Amino acid sequence: MSTVVVSSMLLILGSCSKESASDEFEQANGKVAEKLVTRMDITSAQDSDDNGALFINYDSKNRVSSFTDGNDSTILVYEDDELSTISGGSEPMQTSEFYQMPYDIFQFGEVVEFDSNKNPSVIRLLEEDYNGNVYEYKVEISYDPTPNPFFYTLKAAGVIDVLDKVQFNLSMSPQSPDLIQARKLLPLNNIKKIVVTDVERGKITYQLVGDYIYDEDDYPTSASFTAISEDDGTNIFLKKYEYK
């Protein structure tokens, strides 16, 4: 999403959260089936070079043991049922392979508003060009009333437990900005639409709309996405999900 590439990490400020991510997920979705993603495929209708896949592997305790996009792999090691070591090309708190594709906004950004289910609904992004000019973007996100399909996969990777330990009270001991950011940007429901507006020009520069097919447990099995970009025009791609 070239219009919203962010050059540096923003410090996340905001209200404290005393509830765990698991509590907030249950409040947003009720009791839902705990499904684990094993594979996700993305197919571009325009360019096969943009096709991609994510494979997620589990150990005998249903913990994520590794994941790969076919090129780079990440291995997770646990001690006393807690995530202890990660080796490979991905930081677990960025979790980009799990729930960013194709939502690059979840790598960087400052949450401005949450919706009634505590999903991030308005995000402020900054972009710096080669000349040092900084541009501000407003990102508005809407959701289907269905669970984030990667939530329990993140939990099986130990990520949710780590995020639950994040304190938002800035008077306490310093926390990793990456952790604080990941906790606040965690979607609880499944994203339906993203609209990116150039604040200075008041013009929409990017829009992404997903049309999902859900199973009986309200988990997506496939989706069609239409992306309209000021730079790249209209692109359509398909996404397919498989679960353990």
Side-chain angles (χ1 to χ4, degrees), residues 19-25 76 78 83 92-93 95 98-99 148 150-166 179 182-183 186-188:
E19 293 180 305
S20 70
S22 298
D23 288 339
E24 292 181 350
F25 180 80
L76 292 78
Y78 302 85
L83 184 62
M93 293 306 100
T95 58
F98 286 130
Y99 66 86
N148 174 355
F150 294 97
F151 184 85
Y152 285 112
T153 304
L154 291 169
K155 193 168 185 176
V159 172
I160 298 299
D161 288 341
V162 174
L163 294 183
D164 282 345
K165 297 176 182 177
V166 174
L179 290 177
R183 177 65 175 89
L186 178 67
L188 303 173

Side-chain angles (χ1 to χ4, degrees), residues 2-243:
S2 59
T3 58
V4 291
V5 175
V6 179
S7 61
S8 62
M9 182 72 70
L10 295 174
L11 177 64
I12 302 300
L13 301 175
S15 59
C16 301
S17 176
K18 296 182 179 179
E19 293 180 305
S20 70
S22 298
D23 288 339
E24 292 181 350
F25 180 80
E26 185 171 332
Q27 290 170 10
N29 298 287
K31 292 288 187 180
V32 298
E34 298 186 11
K35 292 193 172 183
L36 303 176
V37 178
T38 57
R39 177 170 178 166
M40 181 177 64
D41 294 277
I42 292 183
T43 304
S44 170
Q46 290 72 226
D47 189 347
S48 60
D49 289 340
D50 293 332
N51 295 350
L54 170 69
F55 304 90
I56 305 174
N57 303 305
Y58 299 84
D59 63 17
S60 59
K61 294 184 177 181
N62 276 340
R63 300 175 301 192
V64 174
S65 57
S66 64
F67 54 90
T68 179
D69 61 3
N71 295 310
D72 297 323
S73 297
T74 297
I75 298 174
L76 292 78
V77 178
Y78 302 85
E79 288 185 10
D80 298 326
D81 290 329
E82 290 189 358
L83 184 62
S84 62
T85 306
I86 303 97
S87 60
S90 298
E91 292 284 344
M93 293 306 100
Q94 292 178 352
T95 58
S96 58
E97 288 81 359
F98 286 130
Y99 66 86
Q100 281 176 209
M101 290 201 309
Y103 312 120
D104 296 342
I105 57 164
F106 287 102
Q107 186 172 0
F108 301 103
E110 175 186 359
V111 179
V112 178
E113 294 180 18
F114 294 90
D115 66 14
S116 59
N117 279 349
K118 300 182 180 179
N119 293 297
S121 59
V122 179
I123 294 174
R124 176 176 176 261
L125 287 175
L126 299 180
E127 179 185 88
E128 184 176 353
D129 65 18
Y130 292 109
N131 297 318
N133 300 311
V134 178
Y135 302 92
E136 180 179 344
Y137 296 91
K138 177 182 179 182
V139 182
E140 298 171 279
I141 312 168
S142 55
Y143 300 81
D144 273 346
T146 56
N148 174 355
F150 294 97
F151 184 85
Y152 285 112
T153 304
L154 291 169
K155 193 168 185 176
V159 172
I160 298 299
D161 288 341
V162 174
L163 294 183
D164 282 345
K165 297 176 182 177
V166 174
Q167 300 291 334
F168 291 106
N169 187 336
L170 299 183
S171 66
M172 298 182 69
S173 58
Q175 302 269 346
S176 163
D178 289 358
L179 290 177
I180 297 174
Q181 178 191 40
R183 177 65 175 89
K184 295 194 73 173
L185 289 172
L186 178 67
L188 303 173
N189 294 120
N190 194 28
I191 295 171
K192 174 71 174 178
K193 184 177 181 179
I194 297 174
V195 177
V196 180
T197 302
D198 183 319
V199 173
E200 183 177 355
R201 293 187 293 155
K203 182 177 181 180
I204 294 175
T205 60
Y206 185 87
Q207 179 171 291
L208 178 70
V209 179
D211 183 16
Y212 297 88
I213 295 176
Y214 291 100
D215 63 17
E216 66 278 4
D217 296 312
D218 286 335
Y219 279 75
T221 56
S222 62
S224 173
F225 293 90
T226 300
I228 303 174
S229 169
E230 184 179 41
D231 296 332
D232 303 322
T234 300
N235 290 279
I236 297 173
F237 54 94
L238 307 176
K239 196 171 181 180
K240 183 179 178 182
Y241 307 77
E242 295 181 11
Y243 303 92

